Amino acid sequence: MSTRVAGPQGPTIESRDELVAYLEAGSKPMADWRIGTEHEKFGFYRQDHTPVPYDGERGIRALLEGMKHRFCWDSVVERGNIIALQRPDCPKGGVVSLEPGGQLELSGSPLPTLHETDEELRHHLSEVTEIGSELGIGFLGIGFSPKWTLAETPVMPKARYGIMQRYMPTKGRLGLDMMFRTATVQVNLDFSDEANMVAKMRVGLALQPIATALFANSPFTDGRPNGFQSYRAEVWRDTDPDRTGNLPFAFEPGMGFERYVDYALDVPMYFVYRGGRYIDAAGASFRDFLAGHLSELPGERPTFDDWADHLTTLFPDVRLKRFLEMRGADAGPFAELMALPAFWVGLLYDPASLAEASALIADWSPSQRRHLRDQVPRLGLKTPFRGFTAGDVAREAVAIAERGLQRRAIADKTGDDERKHLASLVETAAAGRSPADRLLAEYADDWHGDIEKLFDAHAF
């Protein structure tokens, strides 16, 4: 979930066509395509493995303040609370922000290569672990909070989250779990034009459950195994049907920017940002807002900032803004954090690989795609699919991605190309063992059923 870091509201929108043009303006020539990687992680106190609250001498606020002063970040403040860090004058700055339960997120800068993404991620982790160690704070990359109950999870002081917290339980059973107890890694990718966007979105939506299976890393809830490979993915199945899912309409004839705009207009709003505060508009219609009939702001029409904000409150498996977001993976350790962008860059940024991946999913029916998405959270790579398994599809998809990265032929300082960042995923696909499988084996054999050992074994 995004953090607002800009001030002006932008010009007023007069028509639906302007909303379509806004999305279309994201089109870029292939030479300008970039890779933006985001990842979240849970903070915990190393002494007793309890979650880190916002306030206090060793809280999240202290962590952000420490990073601000030592590493020259600018702070983003809301109602007197520091809620994010940014480096607007640095091309590799990115944004550090807070998710509702204190999950710390890096929204990385748009970078040309996976090698630069690797450098950015390493630099970020060195900063947070340096300040965190002084405060006794460790960080865990995993898809779902493995130990703390919802009641034990802290709440961050961000106004938009208060609106969502009130609205979520009216739409699904697990919306609050999504907000406070999940963590993800995702990659944001560019497109050249409408046809390229549609091809990438269709591959992304169809193969998103395969990514979920490959990166499944949330097999624990409340301190014990929960019976799922990716409980995070299961949570998303019962969060809010208005704004989640695999968008069946994207596979229909006529899919394009206009069709996505119509979908977005039909998703109920959460809020409007005015005068430095969030106005609760949960459940209201953006179509009414566009016509000047929003009851919370009578007579006002939306601005482009309002539209950009609204787009961030849609949570499909692939989200379209002025780029595409791949949203299906659990957070994980460093190797998996890098493998996720490597997987999608290999599939979508090489024309031959995109054509191969498009052919792979071309004859999948809506019911088959739905089956895959519904079953993968529990069964992972073992999910039966079209006479094979999700693991069989995963091996084929990873091989396509590997060939794509080879064709990109971008070497680092040591001469290695971008395939090095896919190595952990190649191993996962070949062995048919997800990160969740590995965690469950450690839990049973090495930790003898003691979830506390997870924090010592897998902290950043």
Side-chain angles (χ1 to χ4, degrees), residues 98-354:
L98 299 177
E99 290 298 293
Q103 308 96 313
L104 195 70
E105 178 179 11
L106 171 68
S107 298
S109 299
L111 301 171
T113 73
L114 291 167
H115 304 311
E116 291 169 86
T117 299
D118 181 281
E119 292 174 5
E120 177 187 62
L121 182 54
R122 290 180 188 275
H123 185 72
H124 166 72
L125 290 175
S126 73
E127 288 188 354
V128 299
T129 56
E130 180 176 325
I131 302 299
S133 65
E134 295 172 8
L135 299 173
I137 297 172
F139 297 92
L140 187 66
I142 196 168
F144 192 85
S145 174
K147 175 186 173 186
W148 316 310
T149 65
L150 191 58
E152 292 170 333
T153 302
V155 178
M156 297 299 104
K158 294 177 69 172
R160 65 181 288 173
Y161 292 160
I163 295 170
M164 294 170 65
Q165 190 175 0
R166 292 189 292 274
Y167 183 72
M168 283 284 188
T170 70
K171 304 303 294 184
R173 294 184 306 112
L174 301 177
L176 297 183
D177 284 310
M178 181 280 291
M179 290 179 63
F180 292 98
R181 297 208 286 174
T182 64
T184 186
V185 54
Q186 70 179 52
V187 63
N188 306 324
L189 300 173
D190 290 313
F191 46 82
S192 59
D193 54 24
E194 185 171 65
N196 186 250
M197 180 279 290
V198 172
K200 287 174 174 173
M201 174 170 273
R202 287 173 174 168
V203 169
L205 287 167
L207 292 182
Q208 212 61 223
I210 300 301
T212 298
L214 283 164
F215 291 91
N217 194 40
S218 45
F220 304 116
T221 304
D222 299 341
R224 62 184 66 87
N226 54 32
F228 289 86
Q229 286 274 298
S230 174
Y231 189 61
R232 173 188 170 275
E234 179 66 12
V235 164
W236 275 110
R237 293 180 64 243
D238 197 353
T239 288
D240 182 346
D242 291 335
R243 66 190 74 240
T244 61
N246 63 355
L247 306 185
F249 69 82
F251 297 87
E252 297 172 358
M255 173 58 188
F257 295 119
E258 287 193 39
R259 184 66 187 84
Y260 194 87
V261 165
D262 287 336
Y263 155 72
L265 285 172
D266 289 332
V267 175
M269 296 172 63
Y270 277 152
F271 54 77
V272 181
Y273 188 77
R274 288 289 184 277
R277 67 187 184 93
Y278 288 94
I279 299 170
D280 190 342
S285 165
F286 205 96
R287 287 187 188 275
D288 288 345
F289 196 8
L290 188 60
H293 300 318
L294 187 68
S295 60
E296 289 78 7
L297 293 172
E300 279 200 40
R301 291 179 180 271
T303 68
F304 285 101
D305 280 353
D306 294 325
W307 179 236
D309 280 344
H310 182 59
L311 292 176
T312 70
T313 69
L314 280 56
F315 307 128
D317 296 346
V318 178
R319 180 163 63 186
L320 174 62
K321 295 194 282 191
R322 283 179 162 174
F323 46 84
L324 289 166
E325 301 179 350
M326 304 294 132
R327 299 173 44 82
D330 289 356
F334 184 87
E336 273 69 36
L337 297 182
M338 277 307 306
L340 187 278
F343 177 67
W344 289 115
V345 167
L347 283 171
L348 303 182
Y349 268 17
D350 172 73
S353 288
L354 178 57

Side-chain angles (χ1 to χ4, degrees), residues 32-106:
D32 294 338
W33 290 354
R34 294 294 182 262
I35 305 161
T37 304
E38 305 181 21
H39 88 276
E40 301 160 0
K41 50 207 164 289
F42 294 98
F44 65 92
Y45 288 124
R46 289 187 177 273
Q47 183 177 11
D48 58 7
H49 305 156
T50 56
V52 182
Y54 181 79
D55 289 311
E57 293 183 359
R58 298 189 301 122
I60 293 291
R61 182 204 294 267
L63 175 74
L64 295 178
E65 292 282 2
M67 292 178 64
K68 171 188 173 182
H69 294 300
R70 186 168 306 175
F71 303 117
C72 300
W73 289 88
D74 293 340
S75 58
V76 178
V77 176
E78 181 181 288
R79 297 185 299 184
N81 296 312
I82 180 171
I83 59 168
L85 303 170
Q86 61 177 337
R87 288 177 175 142
D89 299 324
C90 176
K92 296 186 180 180
V95 174
V96 176
S97 60
L98 299 177
E99 290 298 293
Q103 308 96 313
L104 195 70
E105 178 179 11
L106 171 68

